[in-house]
Amino acid sequence: DVKVTQSSRYLVKRTGEKVFLECVQDMDHENMFWYRQDPGLGLRLIYFSYDVKMKEKGDIPEGYSVSREKKERFSLILESASTNQTSMYLCASSLFREGFGDEQYFGPGTRLTVT
Amino acid sequence: QKEVEQNSGPLSVPEGAIASLNCTYSDRGSQSFFWYRQYSGKSPELIMFIYSNGDKEDGRFTAQLNKASQYVSLLIRDSQPSDSATYLCAVPRRGNYQLIWGAGTKLIIKP
């Protein structure tokens, strides 16, 4: 079974703090993703990575950065946390199969509250 | 028009009945489709994948693809209260590794 783990289930940070969210997958997947999920807004892609040290912006990258130094680990960084970044953050990984697309597998999520 | 659309619900179905969830997509060239289930407070989990033509059955779940009308359905037979969740439809975006997500349909199975 694919296992995707995230460093924290719940996190409370103060406005202006630098926040690190870490994600690790154990299935040697090429692709990794960071989403946020808010009520009524669905899943929104923040960043994704298709290889080590490679990253691409998703739909809402502002205020976030990412790091992928090793294949199994993908980190999301909030440079200066703000209250509007209070959300559920979901990490996913996938292995692209030609003609089929990605089956994405999700971690348990981190519920971040910024006060 | 959104790329992937779902009725947000809630869809209320009595226990034991068939629940029918629909998802429409805009890219006529889409070939594969994913259904995920998300319980409240949990992360999405993959329950069905359908490729190109025809129906696919897995236990109580059946995915049906209608390419002419550009929608994919998920049928849940003998609905159970444990099926109460939000069901997300996703379609691969052509040219990269992303999935395009619908907003999800909230399903409530009433005992």
Side-chain angles (χ1 to χ4, degrees):
Chain A
D1 276 354
V2 176
K3 190 161 187 184
V4 181
T5 58
Q6 295 183 229
S7 49
S8 304
R9 290 300 308 274
Y10 300 94
L11 209 53
V12 180
K13 295 292 182 180
R14 293 190 182 275
T15 302
E17 279 192 83
K18 191 169 186 176
V19 182
F20 294 86
L21 303 181
E22 293 206 323
C23 175
V24 177
Q25 51 96 1
D26 68 356
M27 285 301 293
D28 201 35
H29 282 176
E30 301 291 335
N31 310 315
M32 297 188 75
F33 307 81
W34 275 107
Y35 294 92
R36 63 177 285 178
Q37 188 174 35
D38 302 286
L41 296 178
L43 280 169
R44 293 184 290 167
L45 182 64
I46 304 171
Y47 269 97
F48 70 101
S49 169
Y50 52 91
D51 201 352
V52 175
K53 297 191 186 293
M54 306 302 287
K55 60 185 180 185
E56 285 197 24
K57 293 179 180 179
D59 301 316
I60 51 163
E62 297 78 20
Y64 303 94
S65 62
V66 290
S67 172
R68 193 166 181 202
E69 297 295 321
K70 293 185 177 181
K71 191 175 186 179
E72 67 271 18
R73 189 180 298 268
F74 191 33
S75 300
L76 179 69
I77 303 151
L78 287 67
E79 296 290 342
S80 177
S82 64
T83 54
N84 63 13
Q85 292 178 310
T86 292
S87 186
M88 170 69 91
Y89 289 88
L90 292 162
C91 175
S93 72
S94 74
L95 183 64
F96 181 76
R97 293 188 290 160
E98 187 63 44
F100 286 78
D102 290 44
E103 294 176 20
Q104 291 189 15
Y105 296 88
F106 286 83
T110 296
R111 186 165 293 281
L112 173 67
T113 302
V114 182
T115 61
Chain B
Q1 182 193 4
K2 290 183 180 178
E3 293 175 280
V4 177
E5 289 202 71
Q6 296 180 257
N7 188 320
S8 62
L11 175 65
S12 185
V13 173
E15 183 176 356
I18 296 175
S20 178
L21 306 162
N22 287 331
C23 169
T24 60
Y25 59 94
S26 62
D27 184 353
R28 189 169 287 278
S30 295
Q31 299 250 50
S32 55
F33 306 86
F34 299 91
W35 281 102
Y36 284 76
R37 177 177 63 200
Q38 186 175 24
Y39 291 115
S40 181
K42 303 293 186 182
S43 57
E45 57 177 328
L46 179 68
I47 55 170
M48 287 286 283
F49 163 76
I50 185 169
Y51 178 74
S52 194
N53 295 312
D55 299 352
K56 182 177 179 181
E57 187 174 318
D58 183 3
R60 296 186 295 110
F61 296 90
T62 299
Q64 297 177 325
L65 176 59
N66 185 320
K67 296 191 85 172
S69 299
Q70 293 181 235
Y71 74 84
V72 56
S73 300
L74 179 70
L75 303 178
I76 306 174
R77 291 183 301 281
D78 189 24
S79 298
Q80 303 296 311
S82 59
D83 295 325
S84 297
T86 296
Y87 289 80
L88 302 169
C89 171
V91 179
R93 187 187 297 279
R94 280 205 271 178
N96 67 26
Y97 310 98
Q98 296 180 40
L99 290 177
I100 308 168
W101 294 88
T105 298
K106 184 173 183 177
L107 175 66
I108 299 172
I109 306 300
K110 291 192 168 181

